[in-house]
C-alpha cells in the first residue's frame, strides 16, 4: 500500500459531508475502487470508477477522478455514525500476467454526533 | 449463505509451528486471492489462483504455500511460523482475474504468533 497514499484519519460530525482523498501511481490503471472495512470485518466494495470517467454518483457516494493529477476522492453526503470505518482506495495494476489490486494505506473515518 | 468463508476466525499459535487457513467461496467464481493485512492496516496481495492455477505470486517467503484443490477452495499453509506472520489474512474471490471484476472478501483470519 505504500504507493497509493491516503490521509490516515478523518473526523466529521453526523450530517456533514466527508471527503476522503487518495493519490495513486499507475496512470494506466483502468479501474479505481473504494472499499469499506468495518471493525473486525472484511472489505466491502462500495463503488468503483472506470478510468475514462471523471465522476460517478451512487446515492450518498460521489467519486471524483482527476487522471492528470492521479487523484481520486470519495465524498459521502449526510455522513452517519454507521459510516464510521476504514476506507481503502485501490487501483488495478497490470502484473506479470494479470491485473492485481494495489490498496491504499486506508483512512479511518470517525463520525461523531 | 455466506459468500466467502474462512476458518478459523482466530488462530493463536507458538513460533515454529505449522498451521493452515482454509477459504471457501460459493459464488461460482474462477479466481481466488489471499491478502495479508498488518497491524497498521496495510493490505497487500500474496497469491491468486485462477481455475486452480497460480497466477499471482508476490514476494512472499516460501514458508507460505497456497493450495487450491478446486475452484471453490483456496487454502494457505504456513510452515515454521514467525512473530512477523502475525496479521489478519483475508481471502477473496472474483469471477475473472482482471481486477475490473469485483472482489468479494471473506471475514478474515486473525493470526497471532507468540
Amino acid at each position: 500500500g505504500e504507493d497509493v497514499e491516503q490521509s490516515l484519519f478523518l473526523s466529521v460530525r453526523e450530517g456533514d459531508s466527508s471527503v476522503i482523498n487518495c493519490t495513486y501511481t499507475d496512470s494506466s490503471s483502468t479501474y479505481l475502487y473504494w472499499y469499506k472495512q468495518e471493525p473486525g470485518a472484511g472489505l466491502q466494495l462500495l463503488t468503483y470508477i472506470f478510468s475514462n470517467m471523471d465522476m460517478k454518483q451512487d446515492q450518498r457516494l460521489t467519486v471524483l477522478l482527476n487522471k492528470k493529477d492521479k487523484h481520486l476522492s470519495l465524498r459521502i453526503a449526510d455522513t452517519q455514525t454507521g459510516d464510521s470505518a476504514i476506507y481503502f482506495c485501490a487501483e488495478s495494476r497490470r502484473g506479470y500476467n494479470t491485473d492485481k489490486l494495489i490498496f491504499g494505506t486506508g483512512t479511518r473515518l470517525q463520525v461523531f454526533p | 449463505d455466506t459468500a466467502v468463508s474462512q476458518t478459523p476466525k482466530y488462530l493463536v499459535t507458538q513460533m515454529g509451528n505449522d498451521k493452515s487457513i482454509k477459504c471457501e467461496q460459493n459464488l461460482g467464481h474462477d479466481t481466488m486471492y489471499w491478502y495479508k493485512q498488518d497491524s497498521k492496516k496495510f493490505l497487500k496481495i500474496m497469491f491468486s489462483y485462477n481455475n486452480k492455477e497460480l497466477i499471482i505470486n508476490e514476494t512472499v517467503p516460501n514458508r507460505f504455500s497456497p493450495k487450491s484443490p478446486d475452484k471453490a477452495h483456496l487454502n494457505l499453509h504456513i510452515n515454521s511460523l514467525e512473530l512477523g506472520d502475525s496479521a489478519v489474512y483475508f481471502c477473496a474471490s472474483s469471477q475473472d482475474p482482471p481486477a475490473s471484476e469485483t472482489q468479494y472478501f471473506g471475514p478474515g483470519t486473525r493470526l497471532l504468533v507468540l
Side-chain angles (χ1 to χ4, degrees), chain A residues 10 12 25 29 35 42-43 54 57 68-69 93 96-97 112:
Chain A
L10 178 64
V12 299
T25 60
S29 291
Y35 279 85
L43 276 75
D54 298 324
Q57 188 151 2
K68 176 174 167 289
D69 295 335
R93 190 179 294 178
Y96 175 67
N97 58 357
F112 57 94

Side-chain angles (χ1 to χ4, degrees), chain A residues 1-2 31 33 35 37 40-43 45 48 86 88 92 97-101 103 105 108, chain B residues 9 35 37 40-43 45 55-56 58 90 97-103 105-107 110:
Chain A
E2 62 273 13
Y31 288 87
Y33 304 81
Y35 279 85
Q37 185 179 28
L43 276 75
L45 179 68
Y48 65 91
I86 301 177
F88 292 92
S92 61
N97 58 357
T98 188
D99 290 344
K100 57 184 179 181
L101 288 187
F103 283 87
T105 46
R108 188 180 297 271
Chain B
K9 190 170 182 180
Y35 288 86
Q37 186 176 45
K40 294 183 180 176
K41 302 298 184 183
F42 290 148
L43 190 68
I45 190 164
I55 58 171
I56 294 177
E58 293 294 290
F90 287 102
S100 55
E101 295 289 331
T102 299
Q103 292 188 22
F105 281 76
R110 284 142 190 83

Side-chain angles (χ1 to χ4, degrees), chain B:
Chain B
D1 61 347
T2 305
V4 182
S5 59
Q6 297 179 227
T7 53
K9 190 170 182 180
Y10 299 96
L11 184 54
V12 182
T13 188
Q14 298 283 339
M15 227 169 33
N17 284 349
D18 303 338
K19 290 292 179 187
S20 290
I21 308 171
K22 298 188 178 205
C23 177
E24 176 181 2
Q25 53 95 3
N26 62 5
L27 298 166
H29 288 166
D30 290 335
T31 307
M32 297 184 73
Y33 311 80
W34 276 112
Y35 288 86
K36 179 181 179 181
Q37 186 176 45
D38 65 20
S39 58
K40 294 183 180 176
K41 302 298 184 183
F42 290 148
L43 190 68
K44 191 166 182 183
I45 190 164
M46 300 172 70
F47 302 103
S48 177
Y49 271 75
N50 174 253
N51 280 318
K52 302 196 295 174
E53 180 187 346
L54 182 67
I55 58 171
I56 294 177
N57 186 356
E58 293 294 290
T59 307
V60 175
N62 56 15
R63 297 182 295 104
F64 290 79
S65 51
K67 279 190 175 55
S68 182
D70 54 61
K71 284 196 323 182
H73 295 85
L74 180 61
N75 304 324
L76 184 64
H77 188 75
I78 316 171
N79 288 328
S80 304
L81 277 154
E82 299 178 358
L83 295 177
D85 298 331
S86 295
V88 183
Y89 292 85
F90 287 102
C91 176
S93 73
S94 66
Q95 181 55 45
D96 287 313
S100 55
E101 295 289 331
T102 299
Q103 292 188 22
Y104 293 84
F105 281 76
T109 295
R110 284 142 190 83
L111 171 65
L112 177 60
V113 182
L114 302 174

Side-chain angles (χ1 to χ4, degrees), chain A residues 18-87:
Chain A
S18 309
V19 179
I20 302 171
N21 294 303
C22 171
T23 303
Y24 62 98
T25 60
D26 189 353
S27 57
S28 63
S29 291
T30 49
Y31 288 87
L32 295 129
Y33 304 81
W34 283 104
Y35 279 85
K36 176 183 181 183
Q37 185 179 28
E38 295 181 350
L43 276 75
Q44 172 195 357
L45 179 68
L46 285 179
T47 187
Y48 65 91
I49 188 167
F50 189 50
S51 59
N52 68 353
M53 298 169 66
D54 298 324
M55 186 182 89
K56 180 179 179 181
Q57 188 151 2
D58 184 0
Q59 298 182 333
R60 292 192 297 123
L61 305 178
T62 302
V63 179
L64 294 178
L65 176 60
N66 181 331
K67 281 195 73 176
K68 176 174 167 289
D69 295 335
K70 296 191 203 124
H71 185 263
L72 182 73
S73 68
L74 174 70
R75 179 177 180 270
I76 306 172
D78 186 25
T79 313
Q80 303 296 309
T81 53
D83 295 326
S84 294
I86 301 177
Y87 290 79

